[in-house]
Amino acid sequence: MTETRTFRIAAIPADGVGTEVIAAGRAVLDALATDSHGAFLFDWQEFPWGCDYYQRTGKMIDDDGLEQLKDFDAIYFGAVGWPTVPDHISLWGLRLKICQDFDQWANVRPVHFLPGITSPLRKADTTELDWVVVRENSEGEYAGLGGRNLAGRGHGGEVAIQSALFTEVGCERIMRFAFDLARTRTHRKVSSVTKSNAQQYGMVLWDDVFKRVAADYPDVETESVLVDAMAAKFVLHPEDLSVVVASNLNADILSDLGSALAGSLGLAASANLNPERRFPSMFEPVHGSAPDIAGQGLANPIGAVGSAALMLEHFGLPEQAARLHKAIEKTTGAGILTRDLGGTASTEDVTKALIDALDS
């Protein structure tokens, strides 16, 4: 008799629709575990951190929050942000704190075009499109280096400096991650996103490291594209993309563009990985907290369920991850779509359809 594998997962729904989509994702994952006949199960612990917690305590997370999280197998995160808390406080106080302190340096954001969903990209009607954005997740433009000063000059005289950090180690490890990922795909290609024509120090280092790393992967096609040209390429020639590797800010923007082209940010899944597994990795949809629809049962849970599939792959359960992907395709293909996709289904409707699709 095979011993049951138990995965301890810290759930942090946080703010807005995060609470709704994490509840939906947990329901789908638990249904999958039940259907495994004891092969695996999930041991959940939910944490109350977020903007409501901040308004009660003045903190986005407990002082010892990272210590509480460090022994979990994974973190399942909802969304952070609320109008009553400044965005830089909510983001740096919770999500980025976890990402940076746990050295979750590889952020993976697939772009999937699903059946039953109309893309604003006309080429999607006749061309098979599928790519993944690999985001450097620990430094770059989100390193948090800089400051504000000279406020004593009076109104209009303050100065703010925001510095981007590029290290050879940081660039090399994310690029090798991207090349290794490309070797697992049908189209073995890595596209590096740069802006070295204007950013002559950090992005020139990025370019130099990319050329050096590429030499170790002669079986993988490469290109280096300026970020503005890459934004155009996402729209005009997306069939030419496979793995796109970019700095923290550039990948953040481009991956949102990719999800919008696929139909909605509500579809977007992501994984914040610590590939060495020294710390737990974190899995989250990237649609944000959506205060305008929070609590109304309108949130799209597909991004959260897609993130759960990435978590299953991280656990070494690729067959179960594939089941989730197939359930998503069956659900959208059947026209069971939330409002952001032009449908009328509720969060509960889609969650039920996903669970039912696991058995079909």
Side-chain angles (χ1 to χ4, degrees):
M1 184 174 181
T2 305
E3 183 179 354
T4 299
R5 297 178 65 187
T6 300
F7 300 101
R8 295 184 63 240
I9 304 176
I12 308 177
D15 304 319
V17 299
T19 61
E20 300 167 66
V21 299
I22 290 302
R26 287 180 59 171
V28 174
L29 283 170
D30 285 339
L32 195 69
T34 299
D35 198 40
S36 76
H37 305 293
F40 61 91
L41 59 84
F42 303 104
D43 178 14
W44 298 96
Q45 183 173 340
E46 187 165 305
F47 293 87
W49 303 321
C51 289
D52 283 346
Y53 191 79
Y54 177 83
Q55 291 178 311
R56 296 195 307 270
T57 68
K59 304 172 184 176
M60 288 294 296
I61 185 175
D62 289 340
D63 290 337
D64 66 344
L66 296 177
E67 183 68 22
Q68 295 181 52
L69 292 174
K70 70 180 180 61
D71 292 326
F72 282 87
D73 295 309
I75 302 165
Y76 195 34
F77 192 88
V80 68
W82 200 250
T84 54
V85 178
D87 287 342
H88 67 279
I89 290 176
S90 60
L91 186 65
W92 278 98
L94 185 56
R95 184 195 171 275
L96 287 179
K97 182 176 182 63
I98 294 171
C99 285
Q100 294 204 348
D101 283 59
F102 282 168
D103 200 21
Q104 295 169 347
W105 53 265
N107 180 240
V108 178
R109 296 188 175 187
V111 179
H112 291 309
F113 289 73
L114 295 168
I117 296 176
T118 301
S119 166
L121 198 63
R122 284 183 296 176
K123 190 167 284 189
D125 296 335
T126 57
T127 309
E128 184 175 345
L129 302 175
D130 179 69
W131 71 90
V132 58
V133 177
V134 174
R135 172 187 179 187
E136 199 293 311
N137 208 37
S138 64
E139 48 184 53
E141 302 87 351
Y142 292 0
L145 302 176
R148 294 173 62 175
N149 210 334
L150 305 181
R153 288 181 173 179
H155 179 69
E158 191 173 3
V159 173
I161 297 174
Q162 189 81 42
S163 297
L165 173 69
F166 290 88
T167 69
E168 191 168 7
V169 169
C171 295
E172 180 168 348
R173 66 182 183 178
I174 196 64
M175 290 170 182
R176 290 194 181 278
F177 183 95
F179 274 98
D180 290 338
L181 178 60
R183 279 179 165 171
T184 70
R185 295 173 60 84
T186 303
H187 187 186
R188 294 186 171 192
K189 180 179 180 180
V190 176
S191 303
S192 171
V193 179
T194 184
K195 194 58 180 172
S196 51
N197 58 343
Q199 296 174 303
Q200 72 270 45
Y201 303 119
M203 295 255 65
V204 170
L205 174 63
W206 175 277
D207 290 351
D208 290 345
V209 174
F210 183 71
K211 291 175 185 175
R212 176 168 59 79
V213 171
D216 292 336
Y217 296 83
D219 56 317
V220 179
E221 182 184 352
T222 64
E223 65 177 353
S224 182
V225 184
L226 295 174
V227 63
D228 38 352
M230 182 58 80
K233 189 167 189 172
F234 266 43
V235 176
L236 299 176
H237 300 291
E239 71 280 2
D240 196 37
L241 302 171
S242 181
V243 176
V244 177
V245 64
S247 67
N248 218 326
L249 177 62
N250 289 339
D252 191 9
I253 296 169
L254 288 172
S255 60
D256 279 7
L257 173 60
S259 298
L261 293 173
S264 169
L265 287 181
L267 303 172
S270 79
N272 301 285
L273 302 175
N274 174 245
E276 301 88 357
R277 299 178 186 256
R278 294 182 296 116
F279 302 102
S281 295
M282 182 164 66
F283 303 84
E284 60 167 330
V286 299
H287 48 56
S289 57
D292 57 323
I293 62 168
Q296 300 176 45
L298 301 175
N300 188 343
I302 287 178
V305 175
S307 300
L310 294 172
M311 182 165 61
L312 292 175
E313 292 175 1
H314 183 69
F315 288 158
L317 298 172
E319 299 86 358
Q320 300 299 330
R323 288 188 66 193
L324 284 192
H325 287 304
K326 288 179 181 177
I328 290 171
E329 291 179 0
K330 288 177 182 176
T331 298
T332 61
I336 305 171
L337 307 175
T338 45
R339 191 175 70 175
D340 58 305
L341 296 170
T344 59
S346 67
T347 308
E348 183 178 355
D349 293 335
V350 175
T351 304
K352 183 180 183 301
L354 289 166
I355 293 172
D356 291 343
L358 293 174
D359 299 324
S360 60

